[in-house]
Amino acid sequence: MTCFTKPEDLRVLITGAAGNIGKCLRDQLRGRYALLRLADIAEQEPAQAGEEICAIDVRDMSSVERCMEGIDCVVHLAGIPGVDTWEKILPMNIDGCYNVFEAARRQNVPRVIFASSNHAVGYHRREKFLDNTVQPRPDSLYGVSKVFGEALGRMYADKYGMSVACLRIGTFRTPDHPSEARQLLTWISHKDMAELARCCIEHESYHFAVAYGVSNNLRNRWDNSNVKFLGYQPQDDSEVFAAEILARNIPEDPIAAQFHGGFYCPLEFVGTTDRIS
Ligand SMILES: NC(=O)C1=CN([C@@H]2O[C@H](COP(=O)(O)OP(=O)(O)OC[C@H]3O[C@@H](n4cnc5c(N)ncnc54)[C@H](O)[C@@H]3O)[C@@H](O)[C@H]2O)C=CC1
Ligand SMILES: O=C(O)[C@H]1OC(=O)[C@H](O)[C@@H](O)[C@@H]1O
């Protein structure tokens, strides 16, 4: 397994760098690495010192492979970031995710960090505390695409010896605060998101890890004890926003409120929830 010893020598690629999480990582990781290569299909701010801007379409393997040249670690964020049709999920989150892992293998990139989502396990009941061992229970085709990405990562780790981290991100928002009751459980601040990415990029050696992307929320329902070795110590707590959010007295949808995936769960839901143990 590759050992990552000196952060200042690392060459890091971010896909989806023009997006919300991508811009946060760009701002907060700037200057730490030998190179931050920022790849997106969208326009980006011009490169600053230590940065490269790179045009990529994750649906096009040749553009993905080109962006991988000389890279030590990929943070893969690009894709459809929520519920959508199969016609969009398939090329972007399934084919696109395959292209990223496969291009990384072809270019001998030793580490991939994949932006998974809590929606990979969204139909678990909220009273259950979730750790990395719970079964996949996607609440949407989007969630299914994240389960696929995690499975792909596991295979590239086990078969090809790639170091892979899958981040089941909760709720990342710009502006940087939670805005509804469920987000008091699921919120991850910008600072904590960048710190989680940094820990995964810089850790000297791991094979395969699943981590929940969540802040140090009093109401957190996700267990990261399996990834203590990463050294991720979130600092922010959504509780400071709780009084204001709860005072608005906006009730959560009764189906959403039963499951970790929240508002994705009632969408197209048929029947009663008592059949979901
Ligand atoms: N924001 C959140 O609360 C959460 C986000 N995630 C995941 O994190 C990742 C990033 O999320 P956000 O930054 O919020 O989304 P975003 O929509 O702001 O960023 C996605 C980026 O991907 C780019 N993109 C779209 N099509 C592309 C293509 N064909 N080729 C290359 N780039 C393309 C977009 O231009 C955009 O800059 C996504 O994979 C999302 O599923 C997971 C859980 C929660
Ligand atoms: O569960 C959540 O709150 C978030 O999960 C996600 O995977 C989505 O990318 C984000 O837009 C949602 O808001």
Coordinates of all heavy atoms in Angstrom, one line a residue, residues 76-134:
H76 N -13.2 12.8 -5.6 CA -14.3 12.8 -6.6 C -15.6 13.3 -6.1 O -16.3 12.6 -5.4 CB -14.4 11.4 -7.2 CG -15.5 11.2 -8.2 ND1 -15.7 12.1 -9.2 CD2 -16.5 10.3 -8.3 CE1 -16.7 11.8 -9.9 NE2 -17.2 10.6 -9.4
L77 N -15.9 14.5 -6.5 CA -17.2 15.2 -6.1 C -18.1 15.4 -7.3 O -19.3 15.6 -7.1 CB -16.8 16.6 -5.6 CG -15.8 16.8 -4.5 CD1 -15.5 18.3 -4.2 CD2 -16.4 16.2 -3.2
A78 N -17.7 15.3 -8.5 CA -18.5 15.7 -9.7 C -19.7 14.7 -9.8 O -19.5 13.5 -9.6 CB -17.7 15.7 -11.0
G79 N -20.8 15.2 -10.1 CA -22.0 14.3 -10.4 C -23.3 15.1 -10.1 O -23.3 16.3 -9.8
I80 N -24.4 14.3 -10.2 CA -25.7 14.8 -9.9 C -25.8 14.7 -8.3 O -25.6 13.6 -7.7 CB -26.8 13.9 -10.5 CG1 -26.6 13.9 -12.0 CG2 -28.2 14.3 -10.1 CD1 -27.0 15.1 -12.7
P81 N -26.0 15.9 -7.7 CA -25.9 15.9 -6.2 C -27.2 15.6 -5.5 O -27.4 16.0 -4.3 CB -25.4 17.3 -5.9 CG -26.0 18.1 -7.0 CD -26.2 17.2 -8.2
G82 N -28.2 15.0 -6.1 CA -29.5 14.8 -5.4 C -30.4 13.9 -6.3 O -30.0 13.4 -7.3
V83 N -31.7 13.9 -5.8 CA -32.7 13.1 -6.5 C -32.8 13.5 -8.0 O -32.9 14.7 -8.2 CB -34.0 13.2 -5.8 CG1 -35.2 12.7 -6.7 CG2 -34.0 12.5 -4.5
D84 N -32.8 12.6 -8.9 CA -32.9 13.0 -10.3 C -33.4 11.7 -11.1 O -33.5 10.6 -10.5 CB -31.6 13.5 -10.9 CG -31.9 14.7 -11.8 OD1 -32.8 14.5 -12.6 OD2 -31.2 15.7 -11.8
T85 N -33.6 11.9 -12.4 CA -34.0 10.8 -13.2 C -32.9 9.8 -13.5 O -31.7 10.2 -13.5 CB -34.6 11.3 -14.6 OG1 -33.5 12.0 -15.2 CG2 -35.7 12.3 -14.4
W86 N -33.3 8.6 -13.8 CA -32.3 7.6 -14.2 C -31.5 8.1 -15.4 O -30.2 7.8 -15.5 CB -33.0 6.3 -14.5 CG -32.0 5.2 -14.8 CD1 -31.9 4.5 -15.9 CD2 -31.0 4.6 -13.9 NE1 -30.9 3.5 -15.8 CE2 -30.4 3.6 -14.6 CE3 -30.6 4.9 -12.6 CZ2 -29.3 2.9 -14.0 CZ3 -29.6 4.2 -12.0 CH2 -29.0 3.2 -12.7
E87 N -32.1 8.8 -16.3 CA -31.4 9.3 -17.5 C -30.2 10.2 -17.2 O -29.3 10.3 -17.9 CB -32.4 10.0 -18.5 CG -33.4 9.1 -19.2 CD -34.4 8.4 -18.3 OE1 -34.8 9.0 -17.2 OE2 -34.7 7.3 -18.6
K88 N -30.3 10.9 -16.0 CA -29.2 11.7 -15.6 C -28.3 11.0 -14.7 O -27.0 11.2 -14.7 CB -29.7 13.0 -14.9 CG -30.4 13.9 -16.0 CD -30.7 15.3 -15.3 CE -31.3 16.2 -16.3 NZ -32.2 17.2 -15.7
I89 N -28.8 10.2 -13.8 CA -28.0 9.5 -12.8 C -27.1 8.5 -13.5 O -25.9 8.4 -13.1 CB -28.9 8.7 -11.8 CG1 -29.8 9.7 -11.0 CG2 -28.1 7.8 -10.9 CD1 -29.1 10.4 -9.8
L90 N -27.6 7.8 -14.5 CA -26.8 6.7 -15.1 C -25.4 7.3 -15.7 O -24.4 6.8 -15.4 CB -27.6 6.0 -16.1 CG -26.9 4.9 -16.9 CD1 -26.4 3.8 -16.0 CD2 -27.8 4.3 -18.0
P91 N -25.5 8.3 -16.6 CA -24.2 8.7 -17.2 C -23.3 9.5 -16.2 O -22.1 9.3 -16.3 CB -24.7 9.7 -18.3 CG -26.1 10.1 -18.0 CD -26.7 8.9 -17.2
M92 N -23.9 10.2 -15.3 CA -23.1 11.1 -14.4 C -22.6 10.3 -13.2 O -21.4 10.4 -12.8 CB -23.9 12.2 -13.9 CG -24.3 13.2 -15.1 SD -22.9 14.3 -15.5 CE -22.9 15.2 -14.0
N93 N -23.5 9.6 -12.5 CA -23.1 9.0 -11.2 C -22.7 7.6 -11.3 O -22.0 7.1 -10.4 CB -24.2 9.1 -10.2 CG -24.5 10.6 -9.7 OD1 -24.0 11.5 -10.4 ND2 -25.2 10.7 -8.7
I94 N -23.1 6.9 -12.4 CA -22.7 5.5 -12.5 C -21.5 5.4 -13.5 O -20.4 5.1 -13.1 CB -23.9 4.6 -13.0 CG1 -25.1 4.7 -12.0 CG2 -23.5 3.1 -13.2 CD1 -25.0 4.0 -10.7
D95 N -21.8 5.8 -14.8 CA -20.7 5.7 -15.7 C -19.5 6.7 -15.3 O -18.4 6.3 -15.4 CB -21.2 6.2 -17.1 CG -22.1 5.2 -17.8 OD1 -22.1 4.0 -17.4 OD2 -22.9 5.7 -18.6
G96 N -19.9 7.9 -14.8 CA -18.9 8.9 -14.4 C -18.0 8.4 -13.3 O -16.8 8.6 -13.3
C97 N -18.7 7.7 -12.4 CA -17.9 7.2 -11.2 C -17.0 6.1 -11.6 O -15.8 6.0 -11.2 CB -18.9 6.7 -10.2 SG -18.2 6.3 -8.6
Y98 N -17.5 5.2 -12.5 CA -16.6 4.1 -13.1 C -15.4 4.8 -13.8 O -14.3 4.4 -13.6 CB -17.4 3.2 -14.0 CG -16.5 2.4 -14.9 CD1 -15.9 1.2 -14.3 CD2 -16.2 2.7 -16.2 CE1 -15.0 0.5 -15.1 CE2 -15.3 2.0 -16.9 CZ -14.7 0.9 -16.4 OH -13.8 0.1 -17.1
N99 N -15.7 5.8 -14.6 CA -14.6 6.4 -15.3 C -13.5 7.0 -14.4 O -12.3 6.8 -14.7 CB -15.1 7.6 -16.2 CG -16.0 7.0 -17.4 OD1 -15.9 5.8 -17.7 ND2 -16.8 7.9 -18.0
V100 N -13.9 7.5 -13.3 CA -13.0 8.1 -12.4 C -12.1 7.0 -11.7 O -10.9 7.1 -11.7 CB -13.7 8.9 -11.3 CG1 -12.7 9.3 -10.1 CG2 -14.2 10.2 -11.9
F101 N -12.7 5.9 -11.2 CA -11.9 4.9 -10.6 C -11.1 4.2 -11.6 O -9.9 3.9 -11.4 CB -12.8 3.8 -9.9 CG -13.2 4.3 -8.5 CD1 -14.5 4.8 -8.2 CD2 -12.4 4.1 -7.4 CE1 -14.9 5.2 -6.9 CE2 -12.7 4.5 -6.1 CZ -14.0 5.0 -5.9
E102 N -11.6 3.9 -12.8 CA -10.9 3.2 -13.8 C -9.7 4.0 -14.4 O -8.6 3.5 -14.6 CB -11.8 2.7 -14.9 CG -11.2 2.0 -16.1 CD -10.3 0.7 -15.7 OE1 -10.5 0.2 -14.6 OE2 -9.5 0.3 -16.6
A103 N -10.0 5.3 -14.6 CA -8.9 6.2 -15.1 C -7.8 6.3 -14.0 O -6.6 6.3 -14.3 CB -9.4 7.6 -15.4
A104 N -8.2 6.3 -12.7 CA -7.2 6.4 -11.7 C -6.3 5.1 -11.7 O -5.1 5.2 -11.6 CB -7.9 6.5 -10.3
R105 N -7.0 4.0 -11.9 CA -6.2 2.7 -12.0 C -5.2 2.8 -13.1 O -4.0 2.5 -13.0 CB -7.1 1.5 -12.1 CG -6.4 0.2 -12.1 CD -7.4 -0.9 -12.5 NE -7.7 -0.9 -13.9 CZ -6.9 -1.3 -14.9 NH1 -5.7 -1.8 -14.6 NH2 -7.3 -1.2 -16.2
R106 N -5.7 3.2 -14.3 CA -4.9 3.2 -15.5 C -3.7 4.1 -15.3 O -2.6 3.9 -15.9 CB -5.7 3.6 -16.7 CG -6.7 2.6 -17.2 CD -7.5 3.1 -18.4 NE -8.6 2.3 -18.7 CZ -9.5 2.6 -19.6 NH1 -9.4 3.6 -20.4 NH2 -10.6 1.8 -19.8
Q107 N -3.9 5.2 -14.6 CA -2.8 6.2 -14.4 C -2.0 6.0 -13.1 O -1.3 6.9 -12.7 CB -3.4 7.6 -14.5 CG -4.0 8.1 -15.8 CD -2.9 8.3 -16.9 OE1 -1.8 8.6 -16.5 NE2 -3.3 8.1 -18.1
N108 N -2.3 4.9 -12.5 CA -1.5 4.5 -11.3 C -1.7 5.5 -10.2 O -0.8 5.9 -9.4 CB 0.0 4.4 -11.6 CG 0.2 3.2 -12.5 OD1 -0.3 2.1 -12.4 ND2 1.0 3.5 -13.6
V109 N -2.9 6.1 -10.1 CA -3.2 7.0 -9.0 C -3.5 6.1 -7.7 O -4.4 5.3 -7.8 CB -4.4 7.9 -9.3 CG1 -4.8 8.7 -8.1 CG2 -4.2 8.8 -10.5
P110 N -2.8 6.3 -6.7 CA -2.9 5.3 -5.6 C -4.1 5.5 -4.6 O -4.4 4.6 -3.9 CB -1.6 5.5 -4.8 CG -1.1 6.9 -5.1 CD -1.6 7.2 -6.5
R111 N -4.7 6.7 -4.7 CA -5.8 7.0 -3.7 C -7.0 7.7 -4.3 O -6.8 8.7 -5.0 CB -5.3 7.7 -2.5 CG -6.3 8.1 -1.5 CD -5.7 8.6 -0.2 NE -5.1 7.6 0.6 CZ -4.3 7.8 1.6 NH1 -4.1 9.0 2.1 NH2 -3.8 6.7 2.3
V112 N -8.2 7.2 -4.0 CA -9.4 7.9 -4.5 C -10.3 8.2 -3.2 O -10.6 7.2 -2.5 CB -10.2 7.1 -5.5 CG1 -11.5 7.8 -5.9 CG2 -9.4 7.0 -6.8
I113 N -10.8 9.4 -3.1 CA -11.8 9.7 -2.0 C -13.1 10.0 -2.7 O -13.2 10.9 -3.6 CB -11.3 10.9 -1.2 CG1 -9.9 10.5 -0.5 CG2 -12.3 11.3 -0.2 CD1 -9.1 11.7 0.0
F114 N -14.1 9.3 -2.4 CA -15.4 9.3 -3.1 C -16.4 10.0 -2.3 O -16.7 9.6 -1.1 CB -15.8 7.9 -3.5 CG -17.2 7.8 -4.0 CD1 -17.6 8.6 -5.1 CD2 -18.2 7.0 -3.4 CE1 -19.0 8.5 -5.6 CE2 -19.5 6.9 -3.8 CZ -19.9 7.7 -4.9
A115 N -17.1 11.0 -2.9 CA -18.2 11.7 -2.2 C -19.4 10.9 -2.3 O -20.2 10.9 -3.2 CB -18.4 13.1 -2.8
S116 N -19.6 10.0 -1.3 CA -20.9 9.2 -1.2 C -21.9 10.1 -0.4 O -21.7 11.4 -0.4 CB -20.6 7.9 -0.4 OG -21.8 7.1 -0.3
S117 N -22.9 9.5 0.1 CA -24.0 10.3 0.7 C -24.7 9.5 1.8 O -24.8 8.3 1.7 CB -25.0 10.8 -0.4 OG -26.1 11.3 0.3
N118 N -25.2 10.2 2.7 CA -26.1 9.5 3.7 C -27.3 8.8 3.0 O -27.9 7.9 3.6 CB -26.6 10.5 4.8 CG -27.6 11.5 4.2 OD1 -28.8 11.3 4.3 ND2 -27.1 12.7 3.7
H119 N -27.6 9.2 1.8 CA -28.8 8.6 1.1 C -28.5 7.2 0.6 O -29.4 6.5 0.2 CB -29.3 9.5 0.0 CG -29.8 10.8 0.5 ND1 -31.0 10.9 1.2 CD2 -29.2 12.1 0.6 CE1 -31.2 12.1 1.6 NE2 -30.1 12.9 1.3
A120 N -27.2 6.7 0.8 CA -26.9 5.3 0.5 C -27.5 4.4 1.6 O -27.7 3.2 1.4 CB -25.4 5.1 0.5
V121 N -27.8 5.1 2.8 CA -28.3 4.3 3.9 C -29.6 5.0 4.4 O -29.9 4.9 5.6 CB -27.3 4.1 5.0 CG1 -26.2 3.2 4.6 CG2 -26.6 5.5 5.4
G122 N -30.3 5.7 3.5 CA -31.4 6.6 3.9 C -32.6 6.0 4.5 O -33.3 6.6 5.3
Y123 N -32.9 4.7 4.1 CA -34.1 4.1 4.7 C -33.8 3.3 6.0 O -34.7 2.5 6.4 CB -34.7 3.1 3.6 CG -35.8 3.8 2.8 CD1 -35.8 3.7 1.4 CD2 -36.8 4.6 3.3 CE1 -36.7 4.3 0.6 CE2 -37.8 5.2 2.6 CZ -37.7 5.1 1.2 OH -38.7 5.7 0.4
H124 N -32.7 3.5 6.6 CA -32.5 3.0 8.0 C -33.3 3.9 8.9 O -33.4 5.1 8.7 CB -31.1 3.0 8.4 CG -30.3 1.8 7.9 ND1 -30.5 0.5 8.4 CD2 -29.4 1.7 6.9 CE1 -29.7 -0.3 7.7 NE2 -29.0 0.4 6.8
R125 N -34.0 3.3 9.9 CA -34.8 4.1 10.8 C -33.9 5.0 11.7 O -32.8 4.7 12.0 CB -35.6 3.2 11.7 CG -36.7 2.6 10.9 CD -37.9 2.1 11.8 NE -39.0 1.8 11.0 CZ -40.0 2.7 10.7 NH1 -39.9 3.9 11.2 NH2 -41.0 2.3 10.0
R126 N -34.4 6.2 11.9 CA -33.6 7.2 12.6 C -33.3 6.9 14.0 O -32.3 7.3 14.5 CB -34.4 8.5 12.5 CG -33.4 9.7 12.4 CD -34.2 11.0 12.3 NE -34.4 11.4 10.9 CZ -35.0 12.5 10.6 NH1 -35.4 13.4 11.5 NH2 -35.2 12.8 9.3
E127 N -34.1 6.0 14.6 CA -33.8 5.7 16.0 C -32.6 4.8 16.1 O -31.9 4.7 17.2 CB -35.0 5.0 16.8 CG -35.5 3.8 16.2 CD -36.7 4.0 15.3 OE1 -36.9 5.1 14.7 OE2 -37.5 3.0 15.1
K128 N -32.2 4.2 15.0 CA -31.0 3.4 15.0 C -29.7 4.2 14.7 O -29.7 5.0 13.8 CB -31.1 2.3 13.8 CG -30.0 1.4 13.7 CD -30.3 0.4 12.6 CE -29.0 -0.4 12.2 NZ -29.2 -1.7 11.8
F129 N -28.7 4.1 15.5 CA -27.5 4.8 15.3 C -26.7 4.0 14.2 O -26.6 2.8 14.2 CB -26.7 4.7 16.6 CG -25.9 5.9 16.9 CD1 -26.5 7.1 17.2 CD2 -24.5 5.8 16.9 CE1 -25.7 8.2 17.5 CE2 -23.7 7.0 17.2 CZ -24.3 8.2 17.5
L130 N -26.2 4.7 13.2 CA -25.6 4.0 12.0 C -24.1 4.1 12.1 O -23.5 5.1 12.3 CB -26.0 4.7 10.7 CG -27.5 4.7 10.4 CD1 -27.8 5.3 9.0 CD2 -28.2 3.4 10.6
D131 N -23.5 2.9 11.9 CA -22.0 2.9 11.7 C -21.7 2.4 10.3 O -22.5 2.3 9.4 CB -21.3 2.1 12.8 CG -21.7 0.6 12.7 OD1 -22.2 0.2 11.7 OD2 -21.3 -0.1 13.6
N132 N -20.4 2.1 10.1 CA -20.0 1.8 8.7 C -20.4 0.4 8.3 O -20.3 0.0 7.2 CB -18.4 1.8 8.6 CG -17.8 0.8 9.6 OD1 -18.2 0.7 10.8 ND2 -16.8 0.1 9.1
T133 N -20.9 -0.4 9.3 CA -21.3 -1.8 9.0 C -22.7 -2.0 8.6 O -23.1 -3.1 8.2 CB -21.0 -2.8 10.2 OG1 -21.9 -2.4 11.2 CG2 -19.6 -2.6 10.7
V134 N -23.6 -1.0 8.6 CA -25.0 -1.2 8.3 C -25.1 -1.5 6.8 O -24.3 -1.1 6.0 CB -25.8 0.1 8.7 CG1 -25.8 0.3 10.2 CG2 -25.4 1.3 7.9

